[in-house]
Amino acid sequence: MSRVVHFEIPADNPERVAGFYKKVLGWDIQKWDGPMDYWLISTGMDSEPGIHGGIARKKDRPASGVLITAQVDSVDDCLKNIVIAGGSIVVPKRAIPGVGYQAHFRDPEGNVIGIMENDPSAHWTGDFPNPVRFADTKGKIKRVRKNQSHL
């Protein structure tokens, strides 16, 4: 069973929305020192129930609303099962350096969900800081940028 381990809030102005959630919910929000603009959200003590999240620039993500991410043993195996079960891949597997591997998929109802495989040895793949938008094309993935394709 895969548990929800992360959420992501989209924002045109991440600094503004970070200030909002700090003031309203008391969250600790810090800018990530990684290869893309990202703000890490701590929603409380690790000893308490709940999950932590992040804030991403809207232009850098495929989902239009809040994105939840589930922990999986293998992103590759999960992506195969997603397609078999009638879902589609929105963002193929990509490395997040020092964290692991991530992908996004669309369920049969159109919801975009993230999956994450922990692997601290994950290294840079060039997917950030300028993520490429992906479009669903009958079970295949097509990069929206000209002359590039995947799967």
Side-chain angles (χ1 to χ4, degrees), residues 2-63:
S2 298
R3 297 209 47 181
V4 173
V5 295
H6 188 78
F7 66 89
E8 186 174 276
I9 298 170
D12 289 321
N13 183 335
E15 293 89 354
R16 179 180 61 203
V17 81
F20 172 83
Y21 284 110
K22 284 179 183 181
K23 189 180 295 183
V24 173
L25 298 177
W27 291 348
D28 179 37
I29 304 173
Q30 303 294 324
K31 188 160 187 326
W32 182 45
D33 186 28
M36 64 178 284
D37 279 343
Y38 200 79
W39 287 257
L40 299 172
I41 300 171
S42 174
T43 62
M45 303 294 290
D46 287 337
S47 59
E48 299 173 352
I51 61 173
H52 300 299
I55 300 170
R57 292 192 186 279
K58 283 183 182 178
K59 67 178 183 63
D60 293 340
R61 54 193 307 277

Side-chain angles (χ1 to χ4, degrees), residues 17-125:
V17 81
F20 172 83
Y21 284 110
K22 284 179 183 181
K23 189 180 295 183
V24 173
L25 298 177
W27 291 348
D28 179 37
I29 304 173
Q30 303 294 324
K31 188 160 187 326
W32 182 45
D33 186 28
M36 64 178 284
D37 279 343
Y38 200 79
W39 287 257
L40 299 172
I41 300 171
S42 174
T43 62
M45 303 294 290
D46 287 337
S47 59
E48 299 173 352
I51 61 173
H52 300 299
I55 300 170
R57 292 192 186 279
K58 283 183 182 178
K59 67 178 183 63
D60 293 340
R61 54 193 307 277
S64 60
V66 172
L67 177 73
I68 62 168
T69 299
Q71 182 70 41
V72 298
D73 292 331
S74 166
V75 166
D76 293 323
D77 291 345
C78 190
L79 290 175
K80 289 176 192 170
N81 290 333
I82 287 164
V83 173
I84 290 168
S88 58
I89 302 165
V90 177
V91 175
K93 180 180 174 180
R94 60 185 179 182
I96 299 178
V99 177
Y101 297 95
Q102 173 193 58
H104 296 162
F105 69 92
R106 182 171 283 115
D107 72 16
E109 292 294 318
N111 301 299
V112 176
I113 306 291
I115 54 174
M116 173 63 84
E117 173 186 337
N118 282 338
D119 184 350
S121 68
H123 61 277
W124 180 258
T125 62

